[in-house]
Amino acid sequence: MQIAHQNWPAVEQYLNSRSVLLIPIGSTEQHGPNGLIGTDHLVAESLARSVGEEMGILVAPTLAYGMSHHHLAFPGSASLSPETLIRVIRDVVTSFARNGFSRFFFINGHGGNVSSIQAAFSDILLDHPSLRLQLASWWLMPEVTDQEKIFFGTENGHHATCGEVAVTWHLYPEDETPIPPGVAPDPETEWPVGPERYRTLFPDGRMGSNPSLSSGEKGKVLFEIARKALVDRIRKFLSRDGADVRKGAGE
Ligand code: NI
């Protein structure tokens, strides 16, 4: 149910009975010496597609760049400024709202996006009070963190985590790259930090993680838990006020 693979009459037909759109959002940034640069958008995208398929909900093209300033001292990372990200989210949501979508569920893969997404939501809702917007960051859902504790204990870390590395290996087994055992440094620091300071404090890019504990099998379990938890959140979101019923084209 990807919007990119529909034609406009098919989207118009969808909008005759439904008003909800899933929007995957992530980042393009380093994930340690063996994690994929696309981790955050690839995982969000796969979750959104899987959930969209199960629930019969259209999925928008992935927003693959996010607010990743702190990773810019590592090659392959690219970042949107918070104000750009807010404007991109606003323009995308209000465009789809003009078509008739009125319920937007963001599936997020990157912590650095959260404050900008929330700022964008507040901004959009000021001018478009009948829209409903919700954010779910997959790795923060308690169902996922509980399982990560079982798999990785205290060594999951905060960036290039065992969990996110495992999920990418489940999705892209051909990209699995082993790493020697060892927990990356995770010094106490103010936050956020700039790119150079980040690289000084976290020299190989990881924050406190030990992805030698990752495996595709664990990733499969975590992906499935995240998928089910998202289905639950989306059902609740849509049941709140008869939400998934079209209420006129935009505002
Ligand atoms: Ni990540």
Side-chain angles (χ1 to χ4, degrees):
M1 296 286 288
Q2 296 170 59
I3 214 166
H5 292 270
Q6 309 289 322
N7 50 47
W8 73 258
V11 177
E12 190 167 75
Q13 193 178 4
Y14 175 89
L15 285 164
N16 284 333
S17 58
R18 306 206 74 176
S19 65
V20 56
L21 184 65
L22 302 182
I23 303 185
I25 182 168
S27 68
T28 299
E29 67 185 36
Q30 68 84 17
H31 273 76
N34 71 329
L36 303 185
I37 283 174
T39 297
D40 293 348
H41 76 258
L42 293 171
V43 175
E45 179 172 271
S46 293
L47 284 168
R49 287 182 184 179
S50 174
V51 167
E53 214 52 59
E54 176 174 338
M55 303 183 79
I57 297 174
L58 280 175
V59 179
T62 304
L63 300 174
Y65 295 91
M67 210 308 287
S68 305
H69 283 4
H70 45 294
H71 294 297
L72 287 176
F74 293 89
S77 304
S79 179
L80 302 179
S81 65
E83 60 263 42
T84 303
L85 182 55
I86 290 167
R87 293 188 70 134
V88 167
I89 293 168
R90 185 185 172 92
D91 286 355
V92 168
V93 166
T94 55
S95 298
F96 283 125
R98 186 175 280 270
N99 304 161
F101 290 95
S102 64
R103 301 298 181 259
F104 297 89
F105 194 98
F106 279 66
I107 296 178
N108 177 40
H110 173 51
N113 290 344
V114 171
S115 53
S116 298
I117 296 171
Q118 288 170 334
F121 283 6
S122 296
D123 198 28
I124 293 165
L125 291 167
L126 197 61
D127 298 329
H128 302 271
S130 73
L131 299 185
R132 296 288 179 271
L133 308 165
Q134 184 159 326
L135 167 65
S137 295
W138 73 268
W139 75 101
L140 294 178
M141 296 188 291
E143 295 94 324
V144 174
T145 56
D146 287 351
Q147 187 61 46
E148 283 178 335
K149 271 181 210 129
I150 294 167
F151 279 155
F152 313 118
T154 57
E155 300 185 358
N156 191 45
H158 297 107
H159 182 65
T161 65
C162 304
E164 62 180 346
V165 169
V167 172
T168 58
W169 289 354
H170 160 57
L171 297 171
Y172 302 96
E174 68 279 12
D175 290 331
E176 181 166 338
T177 308
I179 188 172
V183 183
D186 197 11
E188 197 174 311
T189 182
E190 75 283 1
W191 191 260
V193 295
E196 293 75 22
R197 183 159 163 73
Y198 183 100
R199 187 153 179 173
T200 303
L201 292 167
F202 309 100
D204 76 5
R206 294 175 294 155
M207 301 173 77
S209 69
N210 177 10
S212 71
L213 302 174
S214 304
S215 70
E217 293 74 37
K218 290 173 185 167
K220 184 177 183 186
V221 173
L222 291 169
F223 185 87
E224 196 49 32
I225 290 171
R227 194 185 62 74
K228 282 189 187 138
L230 286 167
V231 168
D232 170 66
R233 302 302 190 281
I234 294 166
R235 286 219 173 99
K236 284 180 181 147
F237 173 61
L238 296 179
S239 68
R240 247 168 248 159
D241 60 346
D244 192 16
V245 177
R246 193 181 178 200
K247 292 183 179 169
E251 296 118 30

